[in-house]
């Protein structure tokens, strides 16, 4: 006797908000929404840190100008590339990625400077910013890991490595 495989029709809850099409990747719509909420905070923190790092690259002054100018450029360039990967993961999970200053201001845990700080204060702010992104990414990782979302967990592991290393390098300049 031949076995029949029961086909399941897409449930209403598995419809992707961003396309109206069903998504069946082994992660429920509710779990994907929770992961996306955390990834959106990671994206907002990452964008805010990118903007701060680029701002400091343009405006750093003092005896460490050349070293800091180059270091900040290396860091903001890497962060810029990461923004796309994070936003595209949100899209792959079936949601729209936040992409406005208003959304980033609402979602980010990083405070922006009100004026141009000294080079030493820039370093301190970037240490804090990288540590903030690491904390936010770690919370997102825990959420992704809990629902067996390996691609998101992998992306966040990579981001943790980068931001923890950046914080260490920046902190070393303050010693």
């Amino acid at each position: 006797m031949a076995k029949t495989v029961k086909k399941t029709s897409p449930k209403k809850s598995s419809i992707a908000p961003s396309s109206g099409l069903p998504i069946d990747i082994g992660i429920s719509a509710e779990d994907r929404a929770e992961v996306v909420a955390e990834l959106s905070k990671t994206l907002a923190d990452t964008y805010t840190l990118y903007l701060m790092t680029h701002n400091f690259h343009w405006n750093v002054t003092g005896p460490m100008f050349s070293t800091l100018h180059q270091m900040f450029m290396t860091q903001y360039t890497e962060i810029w590339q990461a923004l796309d990967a994070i936003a595209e993961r949100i899209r792959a999970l079936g949601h729209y990625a936040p992409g406005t200053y208003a959304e980033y201001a609402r979602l980010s845990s990083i405070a922006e400077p009100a004026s141009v700080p000294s080079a030493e204060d820039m370093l301190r702010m970037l240490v804090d910013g990288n540590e903030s992104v690491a904390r936010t990414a770690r919370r997102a990782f825990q959420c992704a890991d809990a629902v067996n979302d390996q691609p998101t967990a992998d992306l966040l592991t990579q981001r943790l490595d980068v931001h923890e290393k950046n914080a260490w390098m920046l902190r070393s300049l303050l010693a």
Side-chain angles (χ1 to χ4, degrees):
M1 179 189 247
K3 284 187 172 180
T4 58
V5 176
K6 182 181 176 187
K7 290 191 174 190
T8 58
S9 60
K11 298 175 188 159
K12 190 151 185 99
S13 65
S14 67
I15 302 297
S18 66
S19 68
L21 299 173
I23 293 181
D24 185 11
I25 59 172
I27 304 170
S28 73
E30 294 79 13
D31 288 345
R32 283 187 287 109
E34 287 179 28
V35 170
V36 164
E38 295 305 316
L39 270 178
S40 295
K41 294 172 190 172
T42 303
L43 180 62
D45 274 359
T46 303
Y47 191 88
T48 304
L49 180 62
Y50 159 77
L51 194 58
M52 183 187 301
T53 307
H54 208 152
N55 172 23
F56 293 171
H57 163 79
W58 290 327
N59 293 303
V60 67
T61 58
M64 295 280 296
F65 169 80
S66 184
T67 299
L68 295 179
H69 185 75
Q70 184 60 44
M71 177 186 248
F72 295 165
M73 184 169 70
T74 299
Q75 290 183 3
Y76 80 68
T77 301
E78 192 284 331
I79 295 169
W80 178 254
Q81 296 298 316
L83 290 168
D84 201 50
I86 298 166
E88 288 181 357
R89 185 62 194 154
I90 292 169
R91 295 294 292 134
L93 291 170
H95 292 261
Y96 289 116
T100 66
Y101 289 116
E103 288 173 298
Y104 292 149
R106 180 177 54 81
L107 293 168
S108 182
S109 67
I110 300 172
E112 296 181 74
S115 60
V116 177
S118 68
E120 189 172 311
D121 285 342
M122 287 178 181
L123 289 169
R124 283 189 181 88
M125 293 176 80
L126 291 175
V127 167
D128 290 344
N130 276 280
E131 289 177 345
S132 291
V133 174
R135 287 189 302 273
T136 302
R138 196 170 308 283
R139 284 189 298 274
F141 174 87
Q142 291 168 346
C143 184
D145 192 47
V147 300
N148 229 10
D149 181 356
Q150 293 89 353
T152 300
D154 179 57
L155 172 64
L156 292 165
T157 299
Q158 293 172 44
R159 299 314 312 150
L160 283 163
D161 183 50
V162 167
H163 292 290
E164 289 175 1
K165 184 176 181 180
N166 283 353
W168 159 63
M169 293 179 136
L170 292 160
R171 203 179 300 108
S172 293
L173 291 168
L174 291 167

